[in-house]
Amino acid sequence: MDPRGRLGKWPVYRQLTGRDQLGRGTAARSPGTEAAAPRTESADRVVSSICPYCAVGCGQLVYVARRDGTDAVTQIEGDPDSPVSRGRLCPKGAASKQLVTHPGRQTTVLYRRPYAAEWEPLSLDRAMDMIADRVVAAREQTWQETWQGKRVARTMGFASLGGATLDNEENYLIKKLWTAMGAIQIENQARI
Amino acid sequence: MSEERQVPEAEFRSYYGRPILKVTRWKEPHLPAYLFLGELSGAAAVLAAAAAATRRPALARSGRLIAAAAAYGGAGFLTAELGRPERFVNMLRVAKPTSPMSMGSWILAAHSGLVSAAAASEVTGQLPVLGAAAGLAASVTGPLLATYPGVLLANTAVPAWHTAYRELPLLFAGGAMTAAGAGGLAVSACRADRTDFDAARRLALAGAVMESAAGFGLERLHGLSGEPYRQGNSGNLLRTARFLTIGGAAATLAARRSRIAAGAAAALLTAGGVCAKFAVLRAGVASARDPRYVVAAQRGGA
Amino acid sequence: MNSDCIVIAGSNMAECHPVAFQWVVEAKRRGATIIHVDPRFTRTSALADLHVPNRVGGDVVFLGALINHVLSGGHEFREYVTAYTNAADILPEEYVDAEDGAGLFSGYDPATRSYDNATWRPTGERDLTLSHPRCVFQVLKRHFARYTPERVQRACGISPQDFSRIAATLVSCSGRERTTAWVYAVGWTQHTTGVQHIRTAAILQLLLGNMGRPGGGILALRGHASIQGSTDIPTLFDLLPGYLPMPRPDDVSLERYLTRIPDTGFWGNKRSYLVSLLKAWFGDAATAENDFCFGALPRISGDHGTYRTVLDMIEGKIKGYFLWGQNPAVGSAGARLQRLAMAKLSWLVVRDLTVIESAAFWKNSPEIATGELRTDQIGTEVFFIPAASHVEKGGTFTNTQRMLQWHHKALDPPADARSDLWFAYHLGKRIRARLAGSTAARDRGLLNLTWEYPESGEEAEPAAEAVLQEVNGRGPDGRLLSGFAELKGDGSTACGCWIYSGCFAGGVNQTARRRPHTEQSWVAPEWGWAWPANRRILYNRASADPAGRPWSEAKAYVWWDAEAGQWTGHDVPDFERGKPPDFVPEPGAAGPAALGGADPFIMQRDGKGALFVSAGLADGPLPTHYEPAESPLVNALYKQDDSPVAKSYPDHPATHNQLGGAAVYPFVVTTYRLTEHHTAGGMSRTLSRLAELQPELFCEVSPSLAALRGLENGGWATIITARAAIEARVLVTRRVRPLRIPGEGVIHQIGLPYHWGSEGMVTGDTVNDLLPFVVDPNVFIQESKVATCDVKPGRRPRGPALTDLVMRYRREAGLEEDR
Amino acid sequence: MKHQASVASRLYGRLDDVSGEAGYAEHPPRVGFFTDTSVCIGCKACEVACKEWNALPDPDAGVLKLSGESYDNTSALGASSWRHVAFIEQGPLDAGAPAAGGLSPADVLGPALAGLASPDSVAPATRWLMASDVCKHCTHAACLDVCPTGALVRTEFGTVIVQSDVCNGCAYCVSACPFGVIDRREDDGRAWKCTMCYDRLRGGMEPACAKACPTDSIQFGPLDELRVTAAARVQELHASGVTDARLYGADPDDGIGGAGAFFLLLDEPEVYGLPPNPVVTTKDLPAMWKWAGGAAALLVAGVAAAFAGRRP
């Protein structure tokens, strides 16, 4: 830095004394430009993931940084190592960061009372208990031990829809639990 | 739904009729006002110096005051036009000859300093020699302040402005003389001593002639690029400006006697100048918005 | 990438699977010919060498005519067909082909609208000369003899020139030295003849010798991230993990159940698959004495598909409903009925990232606007339980190439959001706690369930790795198994899903392998793990000739290494490693032992590719053209107009007469997706980055239809079917062409992307309201690719007037009662 | 490497070492984009990847309308859209030169539909051009030249960026850009455009759009290498019968000295909304200053003449 400090920072001075007389480059660079760096470099960790949208299964890299005490996803982009996608993504895959961080995401439990006109908040724990009660009750009320004289040991009291957007492990537990409960009305997007 | 963009098809193709260029972000009244005040300040400074040199102290005094006021008025509009006005000082961050606005900023800064000094010494009576020197120097920065905007507009991708790089500086130089002349008329009309009045009148007349000639030159710009100066709202405005200026010139001729005529002449000339600036801005907007001008110009139909 | 020709039909690959499309572009750069068959000229067509617009619903005629072209011209890959397909099987005299049965095969019972396939079973003799009149090859020839290029023009609007150009390309790009690949998606499957579309392509590919070979085969482009996974480990009513069928009331014992599953090929080890599953679920409680708790499984008794369930729901028979990342109020056909059904529930639980239409139907559904439903009269109690996103939980997706890929948990989910693993696990814990003391028989299964997984973090998230290990299977000593070959039927092994066994081989999570593609072969076996046994191309034994030599150097993939005495190649052989090509099975052998050394299709009894399917399909052993449920054309090939076995629920008041005739609804409407949006829009219309790319629902119409109905580009149009009326902006485009059908005049087709609903940043009417409950008889998939409609300029009426508009059209079509 | 290029070539024409001319003693090779629109599938992954990486502001929900112009609802580059995918639907008649009766995309909107009776009177679409447009990072960048604050600068990679900690929103660049790329964001006040992911380049990373592009239509790399690849690709296409293929912005002797982001197009540039033969305005700047000087002199002369009369 020039001994006269402040004057040395003035681009016009740098134009006169440096290699960039016309002020098109080095003379006019600002502190912000000098400090430029990709925000992924300040990430605490990078996790390899798979895009949640379609069945191609493109590889994704998820960058996480710790900001004021909480972890936050700062970038999601393609995983160049993937033989399926070679680091590339489609518009939906490229929007994954917004998918997981956008304010429109509903992250607290909502409960609608029968006939009510609005949602009301409910604790997760309370909601889980209420749902368990309703499942046990519905199962009991609609249990079918036999059908047309043959043993079926099932309930048609409650149904389940969904699974194509879930992990295999999640599908496995749902199918395992539902079947053990005798609930046979279980379906997912593979059928629509 | 997009009827108004329905441009005649005949010989050219575009992307759904959408503009190729970006329409300027410069707004009314800011740009026209800055152009007019810049011209006024520049020419007034020259007038003041000429007046001082020809022992017309009253006119010199008025000239310096007008030059200072117009300079600050212009700077005010320029800063208000910025997206980030609080960073107006960044205009002096670099000195880039490739940027007319960079050069213009330095000219404006110097000119404002000089006319302020001249005006200050005029008002306070202090340091008259220094004041006179500043006034004299301002007669160098003044003309540049008046005509550099011609380069500023011409040095863009807007076909109507770019092809007018000869006419625009002349239009603004003429406009400057007219503005200063009109100012002189207005100021000296109410004084008994006629010589100030005659000089201002001659100046106004010369300015009117030059401004009208340049305006006429704009309309005659051959090819599609000049079309906005002939047609549409911008074309009408340019013709109106010329009528006002010519009217003003006529009034100036008749203004030898009555003060009212002098006032009318000053008003008409000023109105003509301002109107010409609006016309030039709107011509630029029309030229950027219609892709035909870009395509035709670059396909050789310019 | 290794294909000489790629035919994309029933799929819009560039838009719906864009990143996979890079490989089609790669193939094109190497000189492959890309053909796209689609009613619209889409972004896929823009990159194709040839786009052929077709009338939606004529696919079997088009594919059948290609088969006819191959057979009548002798273009089949003779050696491949003779050795690897059941072309030589001879059919019984009793068999009557649809050709002679006016569109019906022998064994059809009009009362039950179903077939008895007794007369389809081959006699057992075979004629390798393929000349016996009743051998499959000749039956096939006769079956498709009338599927001519002229017939294709009449049924599909495809010109003979286009047809012959495709046929010639297919033939020239198949055989020893060259292979052709077919790519399809729901464009083929969402029809009442969906399964048969794929069957026709399978026959064609077998005849051309493209199956099991690099650059050949049929690629199903599945939709969701793990929709393949959700059929392998099925949250489906009719399947157990690994495609084992759900037990039926007659399966009074494990043995009785096992006899119902054919002993074909590797299905021969069915006992070890099922018993291992039961041991995985019920652990020590499952013993040989109690049939390994086989009795604890519920029995299904017919169609419990989502459409049947929704109809039961409308009648108030169903109390509760769980939605796991699915949005039927917008994404399911007959969306209006979906919403009316949910209004009859006692309680509804929705698991999603945002408040989707199905969660807020009681507030914002179209029926509230028309007054058919009133918020204060909807008694459904609704729980919205926020879900964790894919970066807030660990687990595997199975992609459209059967590859399991682990996605790592990057951070904890916010606030109340939890993974579905957490939700299912903790719901199960709570339910089991409530039934802990019960001695009731029905609760024994639930209480005997192995339901302990290591929990971590203050949210007590169950370990997904542990669940995957259970799926992989363990030996008696708890050791993680390395493949389904190690499964035993005596209860000494436990395995959650036999086809996934090996995904945790050697205690290593194979699905989490990430060796960069730049550091391994183009088959990339060390990235993730494909079932079964990490084989990337199935039936790849067929890439070698009967003697085990590659058909050609260019297309070498898997071959017999005589010295090493085993199969080897670029991929894991889809064949018993040590079985030599000249192996002849013992007479009377069953299961894998019955497969010879030249029998690549190891899931079939005889290891041969099935040109003729004698069992397993509800709508006939050979694909036969039937018109869609709603069609502007009459079947030009058979007296039997539409599918004789398709299901349209005529017994239910809500679907009693849901179909409209072509007189009042003259135009064909087809639905599809856009690159920029995701199915029902919950994961795209809520995001500004995607919403701004395609902000409004639009319909694509040809300039001539626009002129016919006075539609203006950018203006509004109302589309009316027998079920509903919706409004959409108009996009006039020459990419949608009117089809000139000789003798029928012009068929106009309208395209409608179905992503829009009432919630999110950009909203719009729900296209699925327009569609009926009409499903394919095999897998019950709905016909949402083709229906008939009318279209009018301007926006639709608001409030009750909308219902009046629909009813006015219905009355005109002779459908008086309420829809 | 002769640093002191002649003055003329510093304003216009071929300039081989654009970073050197801007004062960088040593610098990496100039990098850029080659966009091969013949493999673009119009998926807009580039638009989303760019906005997500650069955290560009969302348009307010109210403004989200269907454009009615094929699948392009972005419509143009701008202060908050640094990538824009164009969609052009063409039939056999209007591929190449505009035939009289041909339907060019622009008039699909207009009255041409009124007279249609029979379905075949309109030729079917046989071509759907798609192209991802971006800032050209010109060798002679008018925006950079006219910028009075030195906010727009040449980087060590030869790219052009707006330094947002300097820009005061004078908007001169908006009128100077011959491609209509850069614009001022009205609520923010500053001008914005594609930075070719300058921050990523500093980290040795590829720009977000190039990385995301599924079919590698957007290729990033050293500009010299890209020009070789592009020329070969054009030959490849011509050989396979796609005779419309041509490069746009690849010629270092063109009006802007060659673009840092150039294209392979399949039709005339204006069909994509690109200027057919852009020339950097700086080329005529010396002449402009001469005319301004002359006018200033005239002004002085005029005033002098006006005051020339003797003072009694």
Side-chain angles (χ1 to χ4, degrees):
Chain A
M1 235 2 226
D2 182 86
R4 277 181 292 295
R6 272 184 56 74
L7 184 62
K9 290 203 189 69
W10 188 26
V12 172
Y13 178 84
R14 295 200 299 232
Q15 278 180 262
L16 300 175
T17 58
R19 304 163 50 87
D20 174 24
Q21 290 85 10
L22 294 180
R24 288 175 150 181
T26 47
R29 284 171 72 91
S30 71
T33 303
E34 297 300 349
R39 66 171 177 274
T40 44
E41 283 177 359
S42 56
D44 293 311
R45 58 184 179 278
V46 187
V47 167
S48 69
S49 183
I50 301 297
C51 178
Y53 279 102
C54 91
V56 172
C58 300
Q60 285 190 335
L61 296 180
V62 183
Y63 293 84
V64 181
R66 196 155 191 73
R67 288 229 183 80
D68 45 59
T70 60
D71 278 343
V73 172
T74 56
Q75 172 64 1
I76 297 181
E77 56 188 60
D79 180 350
D81 293 342
S82 163
V84 173
S85 53
R86 297 189 287 190
R88 308 174 189 187
L89 288 175
C90 78
K92 299 197 281 289
S96 295
K97 175 167 83 69
Q98 188 173 54
L99 173 70
V100 298
T101 56
H102 76 104
R105 236 184 111 180
Q106 177 62 38
T107 57
T108 55
V109 175
L110 292 176
Y111 171 69
R112 186 250 183 182
R113 212 173 282 283
Y115 307 104
E118 285 310 326
W119 293 105
E120 54 190 85
L122 184 66
S123 84
L124 176 60
D125 208 42
R126 181 91 187 80
M128 293 298 286
D129 283 331
M130 291 170 72
I131 295 169
D133 294 339
R134 279 150 185 75
V135 168
V136 170
R139 180 165 173 268
E140 223 160 305
Q141 287 154 14
T142 63
W143 186 260
Q144 243 186 8
E145 189 57 27
T146 60
W147 174 78
Q148 293 183 353
K150 299 189 182 106
R151 183 174 170 280
V152 284
R154 69 188 184 192
T155 168
M156 306 273 271
F158 53 92
S160 164
L161 186 66
T165 57
L166 273 53
D167 298 345
N168 290 316
E169 296 75 16
E170 292 168 331
N171 275 295
Y172 180 73
L173 285 196
I174 296 167
K175 179 70 178 182
K176 179 175 176 181
L177 178 62
W178 247 247
T179 313
M181 287 195 291
I184 55 165
Q185 294 170 114
I186 177 167
E187 277 283 86
N188 71 42
Q189 292 91 328
R191 192 104 53 207
I192 66 143
Chain B
M1 182 225 43
S2 61
E3 288 321 306
E4 81 287 353
R5 269 205 312 282
Q6 185 52 46
V7 290
E9 238 37 64
E11 73 299 334
F12 98 109
R13 302 161 75 203
S14 73
Y15 185 65
Y16 301 106
R18 285 188 172 273
I20 289 180
L21 303 174
K22 279 281 181 296
V23 171
T24 177
R25 287 287 176 178
W26 294 327
K27 302 189 281 292
E28 294 173 354
H30 298 74
L31 183 74
Y34 172 71
L35 293 177
F36 178 79
L37 291 170
E39 285 169 15
L40 176 60
S41 175
V46 178
L47 173 137
T54 55
R55 290 188 306 286
R56 293 183 169 81
L59 193 56
R61 179 184 170 79
S62 315
R64 284 187 181 140
L65 294 181
I66 291 173
Y72 284 100
F77 273 106
L78 185 67
T79 306
E81 170 109 79
L82 295 177
R84 286 295 179 90
E86 73 282 8
R87 288 184 175 179
F88 73 93
V89 71
N90 278 0
M91 288 300 192
L92 303 181
R93 186 170 171 271
V94 285
K96 290 172 69 174
T98 60
S99 167
M101 188 179 280
S102 171
M103 290 302 105
S105 301
W106 284 95
I107 292 169
L108 178 62
H111 182 76
S112 302
L114 292 172
V115 289
S116 308
S121 85
E122 197 63 48
V123 166
T124 60
Q126 300 297 323
L127 303 168
V129 172
L130 213 56
L136 193 60
S139 68
V140 174
T141 54
L144 291 177
L145 184 67
T147 58
Y148 96 85
V151 182
L152 188 140
L153 292 180
N155 190 38
T156 60
V158 180
W161 286 346
H162 192 89
T163 49
Y165 74 86
R166 300 174 190 83
E167 289 74 11
L168 287 177
L170 293 174
L171 182 76
F172 295 153
M177 290 157 64
T178 315
L185 281 180
V187 166
S188 56
C190 47
R191 268 199 231 98
D193 176 354
R194 305 310 297 167
T195 60
D196 289 358
F197 187 81
D198 292 340
R201 203 159 63 75
R202 279 195 300 277
L203 182 58
L205 278 177
V209 165
M210 188 170 175
E211 192 174 7
S212 306
F216 192 72
L218 280 179
E219 278 171 47
R220 284 295 159 277
L221 273 172
H222 65 80
L224 217 52
S225 301
E227 194 174 85
Y229 297 116
R230 294 188 285 275
Q231 293 177 2
N233 173 266
S234 44
N236 297 340
L237 260 177
L238 195 58
R239 274 189 294 281
T240 313
R242 195 159 68 251
F243 292 141
L244 287 171
T245 304
I246 290 166
T252 312
L253 287 176
R256 288 186 69 80
R257 286 170 301 289
S258 78
R259 192 170 288 113
I260 295 111
L268 284 173
L269 290 173
T270 305
V274 168
C275 206
K277 312 293 182 283
F278 275 87
V280 166
L281 175 61
R282 292 191 184 175
V285 168
S287 182
R289 173 168 291 147
D290 187 340
R292 211 160 46 95
Y293 294 128
V294 172
V295 174
Q298 294 179 9
R299 280 270 176 231
Chain C
M1 193 168 71
N2 299 301
S3 308
D4 300 286
C5 171
I6 298 173
V7 184
I8 300 170
S11 153
N12 183 3
M13 188 176 183
E15 293 194 41
C16 299
H17 300 85
V19 182
F21 197 73
Q22 69 184 283
W23 302 108
V24 173
V25 170
E26 203 82 24
K28 185 177 179 187
R29 291 286 290 266
R30 297 177 179 196
T33 308
I34 313 299
I35 298 171
H36 186 221
V37 182
D38 195 297
R40 299 174 306 128
F41 186 98
T42 68
R43 286 178 261 200
T44 304
S45 327
L47 266 288
D49 297 303
L50 171 66
H51 166 251
V52 174
N54 66 318
R55 194 266 305 191
V56 191
D59 298 283
V60 171
V61 178
F62 169 64
L63 295 167
L66 287 174
I67 292 174
N68 186 24
H69 173 85
V70 168
L71 289 177
S72 54
H75 302 302
E76 73 277 1
F77 186 168
R78 193 69 182 204
E79 206 183 342
Y80 184 102
V81 170
T82 313
Y84 292 158
T85 74
N86 63 3
D89 290 4
I90 293 176
L91 299 175
E93 260 124 25
E94 303 75 21
Y95 169 71
V96 173
D97 186 75
E99 191 54 20
D100 315 313
L104 293 173
F105 295 93
S106 46
Y108 181 66
D109 171 9
T112 60
R113 281 177 63 83
S114 64
Y115 277 107
D116 166 3
N117 59 19
T119 60
W120 305 347
R121 200 155 295 114
T123 60
E125 305 114 37
R126 307 186 80 232
D127 166 15
L128 289 174
T129 68
L130 307 185
S131 52
H132 185 288
R134 275 190 287 104
C135 84
V136 165
F137 192 79
Q138 295 303 331
V139 169
L140 199 62
K141 235 180 191 172
R142 272 202 318 281
H143 181 82
F144 287 114
R146 284 192 302 134
Y147 288 65
T148 59
E150 295 65 35
R151 194 70 71 190
V152 170
Q153 180 160 36
R154 277 176 53 80
C156 313
I158 296 175
S159 68
Q161 300 79 355
D162 278 347
F163 177 80
S164 57
R165 189 171 161 204
I166 295 174
T169 308
L170 276 186
V171 168
S172 68
C173 291
S174 301
R176 274 182 182 274
E177 295 297 329
R178 310 180 80 190
T179 52
T180 293
W182 281 72
V183 175
Y184 77 90
V186 289
W188 266 3
T189 56
Q190 290 179 345
H191 290 265
T192 44
T193 54
V195 169
Q196 293 297 354
H197 290 157
I198 306 158
R199 271 279 302 143
T200 331
I203 293 170
L204 183 61
Q205 285 289 72
L206 282 170
L207 292 175
L208 292 170
N210 282 318
M211 292 309 276
R213 303 180 61 200
I218 301 177
L219 174 63
L221 287 175
R222 311 217 52 180
H224 290 279
S226 192
I227 195 163
Q228 178 68 42
S230 71
T231 51
D232 300 338
I233 298 183
T235 38
L236 294 172
F237 80 94
D238 55 345
L239 293 172
L240 287 170
Y243 297 98
L244 292 165
M246 277 289 279
R248 291 178 180 287
D250 298 336
D251 300 329
V252 291
S253 72
L254 180 60
E255 293 314 323
R256 181 72 184 286
Y257 165 84
L258 289 174
T259 56
R260 189 156 60 80
I261 307 171
D263 269 337
T264 63
F266 274 82
W267 281 113
N269 306 339
K270 58 201 172 188
R271 168 185 294 283
S272 57
Y273 306 151
L274 184 74
V275 168
S276 299
L277 171 66
L278 295 170
K279 286 297 284 179
W281 279 9
F282 300 108
D284 299 340
T287 61
E289 293 68 31
N290 63 18
D291 240 359
F292 300 102
C293 294
F294 179 70
L297 301 183
R299 270 58 176 168
I300 61 170
S301 54
D303 166 18
H304 305 294
T306 181
Y307 296 100
R308 177 78 259 164
T309 305
V310 166
L311 293 177
D312 292 348
M313 219 181 273
I314 288 178
E315 289 171 44
K317 293 180 185 166
I318 294 178
K319 303 257 173 296
Y321 201 20
F322 286 81
L323 298 179
W324 313 78
Q326 186 162 344
N327 190 4
V330 170
S332 292
R336 180 178 159 277
L337 295 182
Q338 305 282 344
R339 295 186 295 265
L340 293 179
M342 286 193 277
K344 292 286 179 48
L345 291 167
S346 306
W347 44 273
L348 169 69
V349 176
V350 176
R351 294 273 307 146
D352 218 297
L353 300 171
T354 56
V355 181
I356 52 174
E357 287 76 5
S358 300
F361 75 94
W362 48 276
K363 229 163 44 138
N364 304 333
S365 66
E367 288 68 36
I368 304 282
T370 61
E372 287 171 86
L373 288 176
R374 281 167 45 123
T375 301
D376 54 17
Q377 288 174 354
I378 299 176
T380 314
E381 191 180 29
V382 181
F383 298 84
F384 179 85
I385 313 292
S389 72
H390 70 294
V391 296
E392 290 149 4
K393 59 183 182 180
T396 52
F397 287 139
T398 304
N399 87 341
T400 197
Q401 296 165 307
R402 292 174 281 101
M403 177 165 57
L404 283 79
Q405 296 181 93
W406 185 272
H407 59 88
H408 292 273
K409 173 174 178 174
L411 72 169
D412 289 334
D416 293 339
R418 292 293 183 279
S419 71
D420 293 293
L421 199 68
W422 183 94
F423 183 83
Y425 174 63
H426 286 284
L427 182 63
K429 275 177 80 169
R430 281 176 159 82
I431 291 171
R432 278 159 48 91
R434 280 162 173 71
L435 301 171
S438 160
T439 55
R442 67 166 178 245
D443 297 337
R444 212 159 1 83
L446 196 52
L447 295 176
N448 288 336
L449 215 54
T450 56
W451 202 251
E452 295 80 28
Y453 300 98
E455 298 172 10
S456 65
E458 85 252 25
E459 295 145 1
E461 173 80 7
E465 289 84 356
V467 177
L468 189 60
Q469 285 167 3
E470 179 177 318
V471 165
N472 176 79
R474 292 180 185 283
D477 49 8
R479 183 181 55 81
L480 285 164
L481 302 176
S482 58
F484 53 81
E486 293 181 310
L487 295 181
K488 298 283 181 293
D490 58 6
S492 61
T493 59
C495 172
C497 176
W498 71 277
I499 54 174
Y500 277 16
S501 181
C503 68
F504 232 100
V508 172
N509 186 347
Q510 308 290 330
T511 70
R513 292 180 307 167
R514 283 289 191 282
R515 174 183 288 278
H517 67 89
T518 47
E519 296 165 16
Q520 53 178 319
S521 78
W522 58 277
V523 175
E526 288 173 66
W527 177 280
W529 183 86
W531 72 267
N534 203 25
R535 297 167 188 156
R536 301 300 166 121
I537 292 186
L538 284 185
Y539 310 127
N540 53 32
R541 162 68 182 85
S543 65
D545 66 17
R549 294 184 307 274
W551 290 108
S552 64
E553 266 332 296
K555 299 290 176 176
Y557 192 70
V558 161
W559 55 86
W560 174 253
D561 178 344
E563 300 89 25
Q566 62 176 19
W567 293 93
T568 180
H570 299 297
D571 189 4
V572 175
D574 188 15
F575 204 68
E576 285 164 279
R577 242 186 219 283
K579 180 177 281 186
D582 52 9
F583 173 81
V584 176
E586 306 308 330
L595 299 176
D599 294 339
F601 295 90
I602 55 174
M603 300 312 287
Q604 300 297 330
R605 175 186 309 284
D606 52 7
K608 305 291 186 197
L611 294 177
F612 184 90
V613 169
S614 52
L617 289 181
D619 49 2
L622 287 178
T624 310
H625 170 65
Y626 299 117
E627 282 298 321
E630 276 191 339
S631 167
L633 296 180
V634 173
N635 193 330
L637 277 161
Y638 307 99
K639 191 164 67 64
Q640 174 64 35
D641 186 48
D642 56 2
S643 166
V645 283
K647 289 174 67 66
S648 60
Y649 308 99
D651 52 350
H652 194 281
T655 49
H656 171 50
N657 47 24
Q658 56 177 329
L659 302 176
V664 174
Y665 309 99
F667 307 127
V668 173
V669 57
T670 187
T671 64
Y672 47 86
R673 286 199 298 136
L674 297 170
T675 308
E676 298 89 340
H677 279 305
H678 181 66
T679 53
M683 285 163 73
S684 59
R685 279 185 299 103
T686 51
L687 307 184
S688 63
R689 298 303 188 214
L690 298 175
E692 64 183 311
L693 299 180
Q694 290 284 17
E696 290 185 280
L697 168 62
F698 56 87
C699 60
E700 291 185 302
V701 293
S702 64
S704 46
L705 176 58
L708 200 61
R709 278 290 196 274
L711 307 176
E712 233 184 74
N713 187 64
W716 284 96
T718 299
I719 298 101
I720 308 109
T721 69
R723 271 77 50 189
I726 62 164
E727 66 186 9
R729 305 283 292 214
V730 174
L731 205 56
V732 179
T733 170
R734 294 177 296 180
R735 294 181 295 100
V736 174
R737 258 167 47 177
L739 293 171
R740 176 165 294 288
I741 308 281
E744 294 285 336
V746 172
I747 299 287
H748 286 290
Q749 304 195 107
I750 298 175
L752 277 167
Y754 67 88
H755 303 288
W756 277 267
S758 60
E759 309 302 306
M761 280 186 72
V762 287
T763 59
D765 280 355
T766 297
V767 168
N768 267 312
D769 290 6
L770 299 175
L771 300 173
F773 271 19
V774 174
V775 296
D776 150 277
N778 295 298
V779 290
F780 308 110
I781 191 164
Q782 86 291 349
E783 183 155 73
S784 53
K785 280 301 168 186
V786 54
T788 53
C789 73
D790 190 9
V791 63
K792 299 184 326 122
R795 302 194 71 158
R796 65 171 167 80
R798 270 25 190 186
L802 174 61
T803 314
D804 301 343
L805 169 68
V806 177
M807 297 315 287
R808 196 170 69 248
Y809 265 83
R810 282 180 60 82
R811 272 193 296 280
E812 224 179 294
L815 306 165
E816 293 75 20
E817 303 83 16
D818 184 11
R819 44 198 168 143
Chain D
M1 180 200 72
K2 188 174 67 54
H3 158 58
Q4 290 304 345
S6 69
V7 172
S9 80
R10 302 182 70 172
L11 303 183
Y12 172 72
R14 192 183 189 96
L15 176 60
D16 289 335
D17 182 3
V18 69
S19 306
E21 193 274 334
Y24 295 91
E26 324 85 31
H27 56 80
R30 182 180 184 187
V31 289
F33 291 130
F34 161 48
T35 302
D36 176 357
T37 66
S38 71
V39 290
C40 174
I41 56 174
C43 74
K44 305 175 191 175
C46 51
E47 291 191 37
V48 176
C50 171
K51 288 192 175 193
E52 282 289 89
W53 174 259
N54 294 296
L56 298 187
D58 296 338
D60 50 43
V63 83
L64 297 182
K65 282 278 169 283
L66 191 85
S67 72
E69 289 157 14
S70 189
Y71 278 13
D72 175 13
N73 294 306
T74 307
S75 303
L77 292 172
S80 302
S81 296
W82 298 356
R83 271 274 172 190
H84 158 237
V85 181
F87 289 80
I88 303 113
E89 300 182 15
Q90 297 181 337
L93 295 180
D94 51 11
L103 271 178
S104 78
D107 62 28
V108 161
L109 315 171
L113 296 178
L116 295 179
S118 76
D120 299 330
S121 61
V122 177
T126 51
R127 203 160 71 149
W128 196 2
L129 302 182
M130 286 168 249
S132 179
D133 193 9
V134 73
C135 163
K136 308 323 180 264
H137 292 274
C138 310
T139 299
H140 290 291
C143 61
L144 187 152
D145 288 345
V146 302
C147 175
T149 60
L152 272 151
V153 291
R154 180 78 54 187
T155 70
E156 63 269 36
F157 302 102
T159 60
V160 178
I161 62 168
V162 183
Q163 302 180 108
S164 51
D165 53 348
V166 172
C167 174
N168 62 15
C170 82
Y172 196 179
C173 53
V174 174
S175 294
C177 174
F179 299 95
V181 169
I182 192 164
D183 200 356
R184 184 170 69 184
R185 200 179 287 166
E186 281 318 290
D187 51 4
D188 167 271
R190 292 170 293 184
W192 298 89
K193 77 169 187 66
C194 157
T195 68
M196 210 179 274
C197 282
Y198 179 62
D199 50 359
R200 290 175 72 95
L201 298 186
R202 297 263 292 185
M205 299 165 76
E206 186 184 9
C209 57
K211 179 175 186 189
C213 178
T215 58
D216 226 10
S217 168
I218 301 170
Q219 292 167 35
F220 167 78
L223 198 54
D224 302 338
E225 290 171 19
L226 290 178
R227 282 178 176 152
V228 171
T229 313
R233 174 64 175 157
V234 172
Q235 295 315 325
E236 185 187 310
L237 284 172
H238 285 172
S240 66
V242 183
T243 52
D244 282 344
R246 82 287 304 277
L247 292 183
Y248 174 82
D251 173 10
D253 295 307
D254 70 11
I256 54 169
F262 64 97
F263 300 78
L264 182 148
L265 303 179
L266 297 179
D267 202 333
E268 299 301 339
E270 56 265 37
V271 167
Y272 296 87
L274 294 167
N277 177 25
V279 177
V280 64
T281 175
T282 321
K283 175 187 178 198
D284 303 319
L285 190 55
M288 295 177 187
W289 278 116
K290 287 196 189 69
W291 277 84
L298 265 179
L299 186 148
V300 173
V303 172
F307 283 76
R310 285 168 333 294
R311 176 79 172 82

